[in-house]
Amino acid sequence: ADMLADNQQFGGLVKAAYRDNGNVQRYNLTGAARIAENWSALASASLSDRSEFEDGQGTRWQGTEAEQRFGFVKLSGEIDDTQKLRISHERAKDEGLRSQRPNWQISSWNPAYPLQTERHTTTLNYQLDPLNDALNAELSAYSSKTELRQDGRFGLYQGTIKNRGLDLRNISLLANHTLEYGIDWRDEDTRLMPLNVASPPIDTESARVLGLFIQDYWDLSADLRINLGVRFDDYQVDDMNNQRLESDGFSPNLGISWQIDPAWRLFGGYSSALRGRLTTNSF
């Protein structure tokens, strides 16, 4: 709806760009539609093709060429005066020569190989605000799958990464306290297998983490605020060696904020965070 005027039902945007360094071509087509009084939809598609980048000394940089495709659709609106909903799905694809370890530069010990990645992600966001002090809830949920194919020194391999998660929280106003509390959950799976093999061995790992949290923002006065909270996380991993790894614990925090005068505010605080193991990289 942000792309449309008040009396407009449909709108669109077309973009094209070209850069001679690397022969970069980029195209984008985006459309928006108002499909009901409080509902609108958006769709966007992009593609980009580029050759190797050339630096100021005329050196071409291997691994900078790529073919990229991106698509996105979104539906958003209001169920009623107290409920909002947004649903989206996106697909991203990238093909090109990439170093075997893409976080390091191409070199004699880290050569470039053909790499293709494709990701599909679906996201849902829901908000409930009935205009009372006890309830202001938000839910975010997502599911994402990424596939990577690399034809490298060990042959053609495919890695798959799946992520699913949600975050459900609520804010309650109680006297001079603002309480935020909820639950979050994440589940992920990784898989690696050689292709072009009759009976390929498959390495897999799976993990999940479940968290509970509560945070209190306590206004002792107009100038003094204390925030204190804690979260509990429970991790569980089934690794590629058929081991079950578990860890859990609390992450507390405490802070104070004092507005000395209109120009100065003092902060102080302490926090501790627990991070458990999840799955390792697919490759």
Side-chain angles (χ1 to χ4, degrees), residues 189-218:
D189 299 285
T190 58
R191 171 178 298 217
L192 179 66
M193 61 182 292
L195 302 179
N196 303 330
V197 177
S199 299
I202 301 176
D203 291 324
T204 63
E205 285 196 342
S206 62
R208 68 110 177 104
V209 55
L210 178 66
L212 304 169
F213 60 89
I214 184 170
Q215 189 75 27
D216 181 18
Y217 302 94
W218 181 11

Side-chain angles (χ1 to χ4, degrees), residues 41-67:
L42 177 75
S44 182
S46 302
L47 62 88
S48 173
D49 293 331
R50 65 177 184 264
S51 302
E52 291 180 340
F53 173 83
E54 185 178 315
D55 67 16
Q57 296 181 338
T59 303
R60 292 186 175 274
W61 285 79
Q62 188 182 18
T64 58
E65 72 278 12
E67 295 181 6

Side-chain angles (χ1 to χ4, degrees), residues 58 103 135 153-154 156 168 275:
N103 52 320
L135 184 60
R153 69 177 68 180
F154 302 111
L156 182 60
L168 175 62
R275 173 73 183 271

